[in-house]
Amino acid sequence: MQTNFAPEQLRDPAMASSETILRTCVHCGFCTATCPTYLLLGDELDSPRGRIYLIKEMLERGKPATPEIVKHIDRCLSCLACMTTCPSGVHYMHLVDHARAYIEATHRRPWHDRVMRTLLAKVLPYPGRFRLAMSAAILGRPFAGLLGALPRVGNRLRAMLALAPARLPARSPAARPGVWPVQEPRRGRVAILSGCAQPVLNPNFNEAAIRLLNRHGVEVVLPKGEGCCGALVHHLGRERESHAFARQNIDAWMAEIEGEGLDAIVITASGCGTTVKDYGFMFRNDPAYAEKARRVSELAKDITEYLASVGLIEPVRETDLVVAYHSACSMQHGQQIREEPKKLLRQAGFSVKDVPEGHICCGSAGTYNLLQPEIAGQLRARKVANIERVKPDLIAAGNIGCMTQIASGTAIPIVHTVELLDWATGGPLPEALRQAGFGEPRGTGQHSPDMDGSA
């Protein structure tokens, strides 16, 4: 693609990076075949190719974003299916991230949009605030019809209430700083990302990961000072806030790297993993953090990615359960991890089935299902229909956002991949399966470490 940026514009590193990305696009249109919004809406401007033209126009002009451009960029899920499809290697993720930051800096949104986006940015990344918000949402559920009728914000409030759990799990020791040691010989030492929304909605995921890693001889540490990865605000275009979260995590992990050392930074939410693996790019021009961010990104591993490198121990339970594996967009497109989770599940004794149209987003996409509930609802219905088509006993996934989204549309229990691996190798029955009436299969259990990490 030919570009026409002024030399002074290209002195800005972010603008220079986007210009390079724009020039790699050859207008082939392969991306339109896998773009969820183009499949639903049929509008060229709601395809990656169309958005690239809009971003090019917006950045070249150097003027505030127009409402039309903002509308189509906001409709992008950042599912990154276009990057998997693109034969030219267009790094759409970095381009749309820059576009969102530019929009945030130059465009004044309507008041109701500003209020909603600020609310999400000031609540979701903070577990304490998020827990309070979820408690309020549970109390507010009986008033969903009334709140949903409010002008401008009603559809989004209704979506928030619909996704809120019926009850909140208790606070978990696995969400507090600590160390979960193992008996010698120790095979490795890793940090685990606690995150922000996940420990509130389902702390069982990290508890299962810690038990599983300990069972494999891997010591686990949750460092002091670690928190939200920054993905939620990053995709809202709030660059300053996302970088502040990232710096906080980099400092926490570097203290461990330079202390007792880390073999990996293990992440159980693939959306977070995609962002942490991008820290190196985010801080490439920051002299104080560039090298540290690069080291952190290189150590970041999805839990299944790390387990595949360690090698799964023999399962202690026999099961004939059929699992539909949902690969989150951030897993298969963002991190290019496709086969490892399925191989691990098969090694653990499960019968794994691929989901038709597995490359198409479920509609969760961070805060997308709260900000674009109508499109997200259509994508959820499409995803659930495809999952139910394979008639599984349960669904496995590796991202809390996808799991919450899909669970709101089907009665089939959905379980984190790591919970199934933990269960198969000696851990407890996953809570979602217990609630669905599943019993223990044949086999013997193992003693698992408790969650009281010693600091």
Side-chain angles (χ1 to χ4, degrees):
M1 177 180 287
Q2 184 177 356
T3 59
N4 295 288
F5 287 87
E8 57 269 20
Q9 286 181 294
L10 297 180
R11 293 192 189 102
D12 174 7
M15 200 69 75
S17 175
S18 288
E19 193 261 356
T20 300
I21 296 169
L22 288 167
R23 289 177 69 87
T24 56
C25 179
V26 296
H27 326 283
C28 67
F30 276 88
C31 56
T32 60
T34 56
C35 176
T37 50
Y38 182 72
L39 293 178
L40 289 182
L41 305 174
D43 187 338
E44 174 75 12
L45 295 180
D46 285 314
S47 74
R49 182 171 62 181
R51 291 186 181 108
I52 285 171
Y53 278 112
L54 292 176
I55 293 169
K56 173 182 179 292
E57 177 189 357
M58 176 179 71
L59 297 181
E60 280 184 342
R61 289 171 57 210
K63 294 181 179 179
T66 65
E68 181 71 5
I69 290 175
V70 172
K71 177 180 76 173
H72 294 293
I73 300 302
D74 282 355
R75 284 180 179 172
C76 174
L77 294 119
S78 281
C79 70
L80 309 181
C82 55
M83 286 180 57
T84 296
T85 311
C86 180
S88 302
V90 176
H91 206 302
Y92 180 81
M93 182 177 82
H94 290 160
L95 183 65
V96 78
D97 284 347
H98 180 207
R100 288 186 169 127
Y102 186 90
I103 288 169
E104 185 69 14
T106 65
H107 177 72
R108 184 168 176 81
R109 295 175 178 273
W111 69 266
H112 52 88
D113 206 9
R114 295 198 307 273
V115 167
M116 193 61 62
R117 295 168 75 90
T118 300
L119 178 67
L120 294 174
K122 297 303 181 184
V123 172
L124 285 180
Y126 304 91
R129 300 177 195 176
F130 184 52
R131 179 173 284 275
L132 287 173
M134 286 297 95
S135 299
I138 292 169
L139 294 174
R141 270 189 159 181
F143 308 101
L146 181 64
L147 293 171
L150 292 174
R152 305 288 186 181
V153 297
N155 61 335
R156 292 173 172 179
L157 291 174
R158 186 168 51 243
M160 290 180 184
L161 292 174
L163 289 169
R167 63 180 180 83
L168 286 177
R171 288 180 172 85
S172 169
R176 297 194 298 265
V179 177
W180 288 266
V182 293
Q183 298 295 323
E184 295 294 340
R186 190 176 77 180
R187 296 179 65 190
R189 186 175 192 269
V190 304
I192 191 165
L193 174 68
S194 176
C196 49
Q198 181 171 288
V200 175
L201 294 173
N202 203 322
N204 295 334
F205 302 165
N206 272 8
E207 290 179 3
I210 291 169
R211 287 191 299 265
L212 185 60
L213 289 165
N214 280 177
R215 202 174 293 130
H216 284 75
V218 179
E219 180 173 290
V220 182
V221 57
L222 201 167
K224 293 179 181 178
E226 177 249 73
C228 176
C229 70
L232 289 169
V233 286
H234 186 64
H235 296 309
L236 291 173
R238 302 169 80 105
E239 194 173 68
R240 182 182 59 81
E241 294 170 55
S242 68
H243 284 207
F245 281 122
R247 288 189 187 94
Q248 179 179 319
N249 285 335
I250 291 168
D251 289 340
W253 290 325
M254 284 304 300
E256 293 294 336
I257 293 168
E258 294 173 347
E260 293 190 44
L262 293 175
D263 298 301
I265 298 165
V266 171
I267 302 167
T268 56
S270 61
C272 300
T274 301
T275 297
V276 175
K277 288 183 177 183
D278 204 44
Y279 280 2
F281 178 84
M282 289 167 63
F283 291 95
R284 66 198 182 282
N285 298 310
D286 186 327
Y289 276 86
E291 177 58 21
K292 292 186 287 187
R294 182 192 64 78
R295 291 180 68 184
V296 163
S297 290
E298 289 178 352
L299 283 174
K301 304 288 182 186
D302 182 77
I303 180 67
T304 57
E305 185 181 13
Y306 181 74
L307 281 170
S309 69
V310 170
L312 191 71
I313 62 174
E314 286 296 316
V316 298
R317 291 186 171 94
E318 296 178 16
T319 176
D320 57 357
L321 293 177
V322 176
V323 177
Y325 175 70
H326 164 75
S327 184
C329 296
S330 48
M331 185 84 82
Q332 61 174 311
H333 304 308
Q335 299 184 55
Q336 301 292 304
I337 299 172
R338 298 189 180 88
E339 296 304 317
E340 290 91 332
K342 293 187 287 186
K343 286 180 180 178
L344 289 168
L345 287 169
R346 291 189 182 104
Q347 289 172 22
F350 298 97
S351 175
V352 181
K353 289 193 174 183
D354 288 318
V355 176
E357 290 190 338
H359 60 288
I360 299 297
C361 185
C362 69
S364 173
T367 59
Y368 191 91
N369 52 1
L370 303 177
L371 294 172
Q372 302 282 341
E374 289 80 14
I375 296 174
Q378 293 178 60
L379 290 171
R380 177 183 59 201
R382 186 170 182 147
K383 178 64 66 176
V384 166
N386 278 316
I387 289 172
E388 292 180 344
R389 192 178 303 169
V390 303
K391 302 186 186 312
D393 296 310
L394 64 147
I395 307 162
N399 189 56
I400 182 67
C402 299
M403 296 175 70
T404 303
Q405 173 81 344
I406 293 170
S408 67
T410 183
I412 301 172
I414 184 163
V415 181
H416 197 293
T417 306
V418 78
E419 291 183 286
L420 292 177
L421 299 177
D422 174 47
W423 180 40
T425 57
L429 180 72
E431 180 63 18
L433 297 188
R434 187 191 66 78
Q435 291 181 3
F438 284 67
E440 288 285 2
R442 297 184 305 275
T444 58
Q446 284 185 358
H447 172 72
S448 296
D450 60 33
M451 288 298 105
D452 292 322
S454 58

